[in-house]
């Protein structure tokens, strides 16, 4: 019976080793899958960063930078006076363009156009006063 016991224990040991091998293989596959998913996410994030930098560089090189747009919006909204009628109409054109492109709402467009027209009237009065002097 010693031979049968040894065979029995050998079979149990073989089943345990096969079970451990299967469990380790499954864990290894899961770790590999998680690594692949994380690697994919990191790759997409890096690619998105590169695309964003390329877009910003292109916008800057073409002179279509968002910060320039914000500066022009601030200068339009500030009501600063201009010495030429062309500058006033160009500010109005920029406001129209911003409204058409959806950068500003209709209410904001109307408010700024109103301010621009008031500024033009003040500019006209200033020019008339300077001519009289």
């Amino acid at each position: 019976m010693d031979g049968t016991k040894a065979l029995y224990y050998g079979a149990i040991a073989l089943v345990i080793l096969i079970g451990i091998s299967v469990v380790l293989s499954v864990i290894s596959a899961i770790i590999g899958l998680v690594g692949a998913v994380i690697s994919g996410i990191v790759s997409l994030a890096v690619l998105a960063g590169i695309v964003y930098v390329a877009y910003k560089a292109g916008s800057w090189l073409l002179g279509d930078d968002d910060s320039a747009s914000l500066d022009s919006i601030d200068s339009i909204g500030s009501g600063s006076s201009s010495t030429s009628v062309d500058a006033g109409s160009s500010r109005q054109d920029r406001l129209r363009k911003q409204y058409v492109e959806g950068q500003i709402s209709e209410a904001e467009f109307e408010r700024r156009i109103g301010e621009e027209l008031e500024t033009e009237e003040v500019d006209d009065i200033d020019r008339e006063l300077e001519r009289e002097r």
Side-chain angles (χ1 to χ4, degrees):
M1 285 256 200
D2 283 337
T4 336
K5 263 186 170 179
L7 187 60
Y8 176 72
Y9 288 133
I12 290 177
L14 184 63
V15 168
I16 290 174
L17 287 176
I18 290 173
I20 291 173
S21 173
V22 168
V23 169
L24 289 177
S25 295
V26 169
I27 291 173
S28 174
I30 291 172
I31 290 173
L33 182 62
V34 169
V37 168
I38 290 173
S39 174
I41 290 171
V42 168
S43 296
L44 287 175
V46 168
L47 180 63
I50 291 170
V51 168
Y52 178 75
V53 168
Y55 168 75
K56 282 302 201 179
S59 294
W60 179 74
L61 288 173
L62 296 174
D64 191 27
D65 194 17
D66 291 339
S67 63
S69 298
L70 291 176
D71 291 343
S72 67
I73 290 170
D74 289 342
S75 68
I76 292 170
S78 68
S80 61
S81 64
S82 171
T83 57
S84 99
V85 176
D86 292 338
S89 65
S90 111
R91 287 186 291 197
Q92 289 176 12
D93 291 340
R94 281 184 278 169
L95 280 172
R96 285 186 192 97
K97 182 180 176 191
Q98 290 171 348
Y99 173 68
V100 168
E101 293 177 352
Q103 294 176 355
I104 59 174
S105 67
E106 182 178 357
E108 182 70 12
F109 171 75
E110 290 175 1
R111 181 185 69 80
R112 289 185 180 178
I113 284 290
E115 288 177 0
E116 184 60 36
L117 293 175
E118 288 175 9
T119 302
E120 280 185 3
E121 291 172 8
V122 170
D123 288 344
D124 291 341
I125 292 170
D126 287 343
R127 278 193 290 275
E128 287 296 321
L129 289 174
E130 284 189 73
R131 284 184 201 150
E132 290 177 6
R133 292 180 188 167

